[in-house]
């Protein structure tokens, strides 16, 4: 990857970062390393944003992201500060990477061994083994070119994409067409198509609305591998918080920002004292990264802040519509209402007696035809009748996340953002999901649950100020990718910047880490 641009112009600037998700944490580290005086304000009782941690009755759950993908991005991030991820957390490569139960009774494991995966593909379709190799070669090329020349670079307007160098690098990339069209060029069997497309859930799209360029995720999946950070994704949050503290970042939790006033050199941020009732039952209070992190974290008291520059990692729409005066907004309410949002989710976190032998650490349960589920997310929003869903059982790998003799697992069902969310609907859906798990995996959970907690549309909206209760933000449709995403710099308020999943490069923990770099460089270039 190329060297980050010079950010020395930020030295001595007082900066407040709003929001402690991965984008905010990353930005804070880059700014502090450049010599800025950085304070990060987090609305909730702990850092990590959607990567919250729930601890209760001896169980510890990652409530948001649970897949550690693209290890090269984490290495690049820590490497910028002359550190390595291993200084803050350890990794285990999963085997299998994940297991798939198809609802016709079929089951398949995808493993770290490419030869074994090739044989698996061939067993479904004659010639699919060779197609698998061809697909991964294309995916690897897209990944290497895409990461170096697009993801890590500033491509904020259409003019950037007609530059001769960009055209040269993009020759042969899958820049147009959908993932469905692209995958059909390689595989006829619908199950193999699903294997190559399941990662779209992490991008918040469907096979029909996600650009074919995202075939690069298969390189991430099969070649780079699937890992588990010991202690869960919360351990990664703790590590980045610890790094930021070493660089001089000050963290304030329980500090919801209620207004952004002023401009470059003269901002005023108003906060309120958080209501303890707003916190997550059993949530860890902040981070557990080490002595320097603990010393750098305080709890908010409702005071105002007066920085030179402001970065928002809070939900972009919330920042513009709720924290800024109308005349200082780049986008109106109609703009945000008209966007395509990544799914929300119905999540059920469960502490269970005994083992769940049938499940892997990561397990997917897929209908043989999942088009109806995607239609009920993007076309005709409704609670899915025949859901595709994900089960995570970290206690398969980490015996610290559950009491002895118990399993820790959660189920995540992608559902449409903005759906009605009531206790009655949740109760009905809980029954449907538990029955579906029993029928399609053989794991009967209902009478073994000793702890459970739900999280759904209204919780995403309330805890994270997420537009329409989306779990991820703006989906990666063709019209919401690269220059079509909102920018890192406000066009209306001098000195206000944005980071996180709504900006480029987009959704996912690795992308949010990179957004922190791009935001810091944008800030340096504007000073």
């Amino acid at each position: 990857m190329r060297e980050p641009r010079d950010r020395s112009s930020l030295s001595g600037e007082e900066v407040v970062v709003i929001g402690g998700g991965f984008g905010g944490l990353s930005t804070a580290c880059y700014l502090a390393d450049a010599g800025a005086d950085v304070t990060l304000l987090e609305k909730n009782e702990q850092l990590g944003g959607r990567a919250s941690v729930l601890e209760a009755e001896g169980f510890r759950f990652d409530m948001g992201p649970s897949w550690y993908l693209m290890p090269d991005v984490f290495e690049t991030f820590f490497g910028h500060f002359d550190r390595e991820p291993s200084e803050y957390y350890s990794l285990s490569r999963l085997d299998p990477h994940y297991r798939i139960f198809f609802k016709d009774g079929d089951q398949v494991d995808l493993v770290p061994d490419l030869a074994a995966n090739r044989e698996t593909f061939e067993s479904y379709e004659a010639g699919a083994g060779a197609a698998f190799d061809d697909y991964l070669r294309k995916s690897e090329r897209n990944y290497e070119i895409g990461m170096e020349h697009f993801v890590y670079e500033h491509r904020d307007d259409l003019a950037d994409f007609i530059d001769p160098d960009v055209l040269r690098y993009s020759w042969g990339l899958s820049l147009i067409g959908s993932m469905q069209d692209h995958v059909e060029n390689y595989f006829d069997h619908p199950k193999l198509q699903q294997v190559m497309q399941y990662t779209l859930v992490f991008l918040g799209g469907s096979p029909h609305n996600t650009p074919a360029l995202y075939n690069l995720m298969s390189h991430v999946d099969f070649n780079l591998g699937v890992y588990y950070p010991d202690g869960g994704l919360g351990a990664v949050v703790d590590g980045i918080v610890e790094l930021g503290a070493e660089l001089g970042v000050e963290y304030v939790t329980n500090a919801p920002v209620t207004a952004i006033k002023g401009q470059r050199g003269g901002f005023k941020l108003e906060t309120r004292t958080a209501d303890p009732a707003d916190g997550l039952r059993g949530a860890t209070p902040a981070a557990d990264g080490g002595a320097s992190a603990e010393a750098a974290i305080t709890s908010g008291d409702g005071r105002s802040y007066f920085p030179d520059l402001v970065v928002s990692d809070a939900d972009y729409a919330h920042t513009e519509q709720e924290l800024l005066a109308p005349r200082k907004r780049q986008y109106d309410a109609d703009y945000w209402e008209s966007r395509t949002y990544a799914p929300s989710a119905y999540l059920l976190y469960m502490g269970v007696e005994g083992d769940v032998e049938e499940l892997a650490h990561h397990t997917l349960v897929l209908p043989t035809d999942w088009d109806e589920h995607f239609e009920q997310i993007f076309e005709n929003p409704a609670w899915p009748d025949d859901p595709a869903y994900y089960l995570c059982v970290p206690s398969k790998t980490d015996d610290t996340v559950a009491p002895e003799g118990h399993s820790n697992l959660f189920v995540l069902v992608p559902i449409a953002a903005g759906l009605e969310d009531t206790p009655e609907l949740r109760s009905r859906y809980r029954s449907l999901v538990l029955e579906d798990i029993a029928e399609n995996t053989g794991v009967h959970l209902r009478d073994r649950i000793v702890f459970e907690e739900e999280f759904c549309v209204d919780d995403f909206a309330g805890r994270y100020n997420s537009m329409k209760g989306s779990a991820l933000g703006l989906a990666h449709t063709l019209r919401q990718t690269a220059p079509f995403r909102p920018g890192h710099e406000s066009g209306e308020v001098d000195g206000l910047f944005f980071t996180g999943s709504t900006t480029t490069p987009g959704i996912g923990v690795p992308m949010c880490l990179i957004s922190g770099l791009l935001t810091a460089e944008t800030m340096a270039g504007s000073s």
Side-chain angles (χ1 to χ4, degrees):
M1 297 300 176
R2 55 90 168 145
E3 287 296 315
R5 299 177 186 179
D6 178 51
R7 298 186 304 281
S8 59
S9 60
L10 295 169
S11 181
E13 296 276 17
E14 292 191 12
V15 185
V16 165
V17 177
I18 303 171
F22 277 101
L25 295 175
S26 170
T27 307
C29 287
Y30 283 113
L31 295 176
D33 186 60
D37 182 1
V38 183
T39 300
L40 186 148
L41 305 179
E42 166 54 44
K43 166 185 177 287
N44 293 315
E45 75 293 330
Q46 58 175 298
L47 299 166
R50 284 171 170 79
S52 291
V53 175
L54 173 65
E55 293 194 55
E57 300 179 22
F59 298 96
R60 185 172 70 251
F61 301 90
D62 279 325
M63 297 193 69
S66 58
W67 292 63
Y68 189 95
L69 300 169
M70 303 172 70
D72 54 321
V73 172
F74 294 88
E75 291 165 5
T76 298
F77 171 76
F78 281 99
H80 173 79
F81 309 102
D82 297 321
R83 271 88 158 177
E84 297 179 359
S86 59
E87 297 177 49
Y88 298 92
Y89 54 87
S90 57
L91 294 174
S92 302
R93 187 163 185 174
L94 298 182
D95 187 2
H97 284 171
Y98 51 94
R99 176 169 295 158
I100 298 177
F101 288 94
F102 294 100
K103 292 190 179 182
D104 63 359
D106 191 15
Q107 176 184 332
V108 62
D109 283 2
L110 284 304
V111 298
D113 185 342
L114 285 177
N117 292 327
R118 188 181 304 111
E119 291 178 6
T120 295
F121 271 62
E122 188 68 26
S123 70
Y124 279 91
E125 178 184 326
F132 175 78
D133 292 336
D134 290 342
Y135 191 95
L136 287 191
R137 278 193 290 270
K138 178 72 169 180
S139 175
E140 182 175 9
R141 180 174 183 271
N142 279 2
Y143 184 85
E144 291 176 349
I145 293 177
M147 292 296 286
E148 183 172 357
H149 299 293
F150 293 90
V151 173
Y152 273 99
E153 289 292 338
H154 296 261
R155 308 287 184 198
D156 296 328
D157 24 80
L158 285 173
D160 294 328
F161 287 83
I162 60 173
D163 179 275
D165 284 340
V166 174
L167 293 175
R168 174 166 59 88
Y169 290 129
S170 61
W171 180 257
L173 293 183
S174 309
L175 294 177
I176 59 175
S178 71
M179 274 291 294
Q180 183 65 36
D181 294 336
H182 180 76
V183 173
E184 285 178 351
N185 288 333
Y186 290 84
F187 309 102
D188 292 326
H189 201 292
K191 290 179 180 177
L192 298 184
Q193 293 178 13
Q194 287 182 324
V195 170
M196 290 307 196
Q197 293 170 340
Y198 84 92
T199 52
L200 299 182
V201 173
F202 301 119
L203 298 171
S206 82
H208 299 285
N209 70 10
T210 302
L213 177 62
Y214 289 103
N215 69 4
L216 59 83
M217 291 302 294
S218 290
H219 172 66
V220 171
D221 183 352
F222 290 101
N223 292 332
L224 299 183
V226 181
Y227 294 83
Y228 174 76
D230 295 333
L233 264 291
V236 181
V237 172
D238 294 344
I240 297 174
V241 170
E242 174 75 10
L243 169 62
E246 293 168 1
L247 297 170
V249 178
E250 296 289 334
Y251 303 96
V252 185
T253 57
N254 297 303
V257 174
T258 58
I260 301 172
K261 300 178 179 180
Q263 59 183 1
R264 182 187 298 269
F267 279 102
K268 178 183 179 182
L269 302 188
E270 297 176 354
T271 70
R272 65 172 173 83
T273 303
D275 184 347
D278 293 339
L280 203 62
R281 179 167 69 95
T284 56
D288 189 27
S292 59
E294 291 178 10
I297 299 171
T298 58
S299 185
D301 57 8
R303 72 181 181 90
S304 296
Y305 294 81
F306 301 91
D308 301 312
L309 302 170
V310 175
V311 181
S312 180
D313 183 42
D315 182 84
Y316 208 125
H318 171 79
T319 302
E320 288 232 319
Q321 299 298 301
E322 302 297 333
L323 305 186
L324 294 172
R327 62 186 175 83
K328 294 187 174 183
R329 298 168 185 169
Q330 302 173 96
Y331 308 100
D332 60 19
D334 289 343
Y335 170 88
W336 294 110
E337 189 65 31
S338 67
R339 299 302 91 185
T340 299
Y341 288 91
S344 185
Y346 172 75
L347 285 144
L348 182 62
Y349 306 94
M350 295 173 281
V352 175
E353 287 183 330
D355 195 8
V356 284
E357 294 181 5
E358 297 88 343
L359 305 180
H361 185 122
H362 296 309
T363 298
L364 302 166
V365 181
L366 306 178
T368 51
D369 180 1
W370 61 6
D371 285 347
E372 182 180 355
H373 187 162
F374 282 115
E375 287 174 5
Q376 291 184 300
I377 292 175
F378 293 104
E379 305 299 331
N380 302 297
W383 289 75
D385 300 311
D386 185 20
Y389 53 92
Y390 160 60
L391 290 156
C392 182
V393 191
S395 51
K396 289 278 183 177
T397 307
D398 185 349
D399 60 11
T400 71
V401 300
E404 185 176 358
H406 293 75
S407 295
N408 168 321
L409 72 151
F410 70 79
V411 58
L412 182 157
V413 185
I415 63 174
L419 278 187
E420 181 183 14
D421 177 14
T422 66
E424 293 76 20
L425 284 168
R426 291 191 189 194
S427 177
R428 179 183 67 81
Y429 214 66
R430 174 185 181 275
S431 295
L432 182 152
V433 169
L434 291 177
E435 290 172 8
D436 201 279
I437 292 171
E439 179 179 352
N440 291 294
T441 73
V443 177
H444 297 266
L445 298 171
R446 191 183 300 272
D447 297 330
R448 300 164 55 193
I449 299 171
V450 297
F451 169 82
E452 68 177 277
E453 188 74 50
E454 291 176 310
F455 206 85
C456 199
V457 177
D458 288 352
D459 300 305
F460 282 104
R463 181 167 175 79
Y464 306 122
N465 292 319
S466 176
M467 183 70 175
K468 296 189 176 182
S470 168
L472 300 167
L474 291 184
H476 278 277
T477 64
L478 184 58
R479 290 187 289 180
Q480 293 180 174
T481 294
F484 301 111
R485 296 182 84 76
H488 291 276
E489 182 174 8
S490 171
E492 297 294 332
V493 181
D494 186 23
L496 173 61
F497 300 86
F498 296 87
T499 191
S501 64
T502 300
T503 65
T504 56
I507 286 172
V509 172
M511 297 299 103
C512 287
L513 286 180
I514 295 171
S515 79
L517 170 63
L518 299 181
T519 300
E521 292 183 343
T522 300
M523 295 172 71
S526 76
S527 60

